[in-house]
Amino acid sequence: MPKILVTGGAGYIGSHTCHVLAENGYDVVVVDNLSRGYQHNVPRERLRVLSLSETSELARIMVEERVDAVVHFAAYIAVGESAAEPELYFSNNVGGSLSLFAAMHEAGVRKLVFSSTAAVYGTPESVPIPESAPYAPVSVYGESKVMVEKILAWLDELRGLRSVCLRYFNACGAAWQAGLGEEHEPETHLIPLLIRAIETGKPITLFGNDYPTPDGTCIRDYIHVMDLARAHVTALEYLLAGGTSDRFNCGTGKGHSVLEVLRAVEEISGRKVPYVWGARRAGDPAELVANSSRLQRKLGWAPQNAELTGIVTSAWKYTTRRSD
Ligand code: UDP
């Protein structure tokens, strides 16, 4: 089986993808500096604790391990933090990627699946958003991902590096049976924060109830992290079979409002979520929903866990470690 190097494999989506890769018989080596990821997400023998800035060491690992392809997650992901520390985000997300691509060139590895984001579109003109929508990021985080996508387009032409960029919508849920789930510090995402509010009794602030949506709260496309993980494996198989570079949206095509998600958490937990209303969060568009039909049509991928209740149940089980 092909050997796959996964950067950021100790993080949330990376660890779930490693799990699915291993389930499908792939040999996996993880490179992670554990600055945001967790050692317990990766079997010790698979992990190389290393920063992406270490180009020669990365190239050495690729040659020594006979790596066939790379899945690249390692990046900072907090939109708010990216506004406070833009240099850090450009340096880590763009600089780290450049170092990785240089190492791949040195080692002769020419296939890559890249973890991109719906944030490349900013505030879209219409939803559902197709891949042909223009780049219009409204955050440093989104811009850093656009920059890497553009670099990859050049490297395709100049270096023969074939890549698939997967633009995720709202990743959530957990493979709780495998001990994997969402763990960010600080946590900024809706579902873990709703669960945390129940657990701590401290109210979550809901950002705005005056959006032009049916209940006034923002609508997002929540996609199960295991469906995302499977999309990476599908993209990898496509590249390993000789596929050309491409980019795909990765969502369910269904939108849910903040209040709908809150009600789902209440229903599954059987508890009330304490919350207060706050102002709109800067840069939050009213509605973000994916048109993922290209990914379905071209690569045959379809979400298997698109129901919000199933997604929330898995997140709840991971957090509360309940097994029933
Ligand atoms: N949200 C909220 N309170 C929070 C965190 C998020 O009301 O403490 C809302 C946010 O405004 C957005 C939705 O929940 O409409 C999803 O936000 P999240 O940060 O999970 O993902 P994003 O859409 O920013 O990628």
Side-chain angles (χ1 to χ4, degrees):
M1 281 301 276
K3 182 102 176 209
I4 312 301
L5 185 140
V6 179
T7 76
Y12 175 43
I13 306 171
S15 61
H16 286 78
T17 301
C18 289
H19 178 63
V20 176
L21 282 169
E23 268 184 352
N24 282 272
Y26 287 93
D27 212 352
V28 175
V29 56
V30 168
V31 167
D32 199 302
N33 66 2
L34 300 180
S35 67
R36 306 270 163 122
Y38 297 92
Q39 159 105 59
H40 60 247
N41 282 340
V42 190
R44 192 170 281 276
E45 68 281 4
R46 268 195 214 145
L47 178 64
R48 307 284 179 278
V49 179
L50 187 73
S51 163
L52 289 192
S53 58
E54 310 269 346
T55 315
S56 331
E57 184 57 12
L58 275 174
R60 196 190 62 72
I61 292 173
M62 287 182 210
V63 172
E64 199 175 284
E65 301 272 354
R66 297 169 182 272
V67 165
D68 296 290
V70 173
V71 185
H72 175 32
F73 294 99
Y76 293 154
I77 58 154
V79 169
E81 185 187 44
S82 78
E85 304 210 50
E87 300 84 358
L88 179 72
Y89 268 66
F90 287 127
S91 152
N92 188 58
N93 293 6
V94 184
S97 297
L98 278 172
S99 172
L100 172 70
F101 303 155
M104 289 176 69
H105 179 55
E106 205 177 312
V109 180
R110 291 203 181 77
K111 295 177 197 320
L112 176 105
V113 179
F114 175 56
S115 163
S116 191
T117 169
V120 300
Y121 301 118
T123 304
E125 278 159 22
S126 62
V127 286
I129 311 168
E131 289 85 356
S132 54
Y135 285 135
V138 293
S139 66
V140 168
Y141 165 68
E143 182 73 54
S144 73
K145 293 287 181 173
V146 170
M147 286 176 167
V148 176
E149 286 202 4
K150 288 186 174 177
I151 290 166
L152 285 172
W154 282 105
L155 295 183
D156 177 82
E157 196 178 315
L158 301 172
R159 300 286 197 219
L161 172 60
R162 305 289 176 245
S163 62
V164 168
C165 299
L166 293 177
R167 298 172 179 165
Y168 320 148
F169 283 63
N170 288 60
C172 48
W176 58 276
Q177 303 93 327
L180 298 173
E182 190 165 8
E183 239 180 317
H184 296 116
E185 208 43 65
E187 187 54 76
T188 60
H189 294 118
L190 182 63
I191 293 175
L193 287 177
L194 289 167
I195 294 173
R196 196 176 283 184
I198 290 179
E199 288 188 316
T200 62
K202 289 193 193 132
I204 178 176
T205 302
L206 303 184
F207 301 137
N209 57 7
D210 58 352
Y211 283 93
T213 59
D215 67 18
T217 64
C218 287
I219 292 173
R220 294 288 179 273
D221 184 333
Y222 294 90
I223 173 158
H224 198 296
V225 65
M226 286 298 277
D227 281 329
L228 273 184
R230 280 187 274 271
H232 289 78
V233 179
T234 304
L236 197 59
E237 279 163 0
Y238 161 79
L239 286 174
L240 289 169
T244 53
S245 295
D246 214 330
R247 72 275 184 273
F248 299 98
N249 286 338
C250 211
T252 66
K254 270 194 300 189
H256 295 285
S257 74
V258 170
L259 281 179
E260 280 171 355
V261 178
L262 181 142
R263 280 192 213 103
V265 171
E266 290 188 333
E267 189 188 316
I268 277 129
S269 64
R271 315 254 302 265
K272 282 280 172 206
V273 176
Y275 69 91
V276 292
W277 290 110
R280 290 182 176 197
R281 185 172 65 178
D284 263 349
E287 187 171 1
L288 283 178
V289 175
N291 175 342
S292 300
S293 57
R294 275 193 81 247
L295 185 57
Q296 306 209 10
R297 220 176 37 244
K298 195 162 173 192
L299 301 195
W301 169 91
Q304 294 173 17
N305 309 283
E307 287 307 315
L308 185 61
T309 45
I311 291 172
V312 171
T313 301
S314 71
W316 174 256
K317 287 196 168 169
Y318 173 72
T319 312
T320 58
R321 304 293 202 280
R322 285 180 194 157
S323 53
D324 56 341

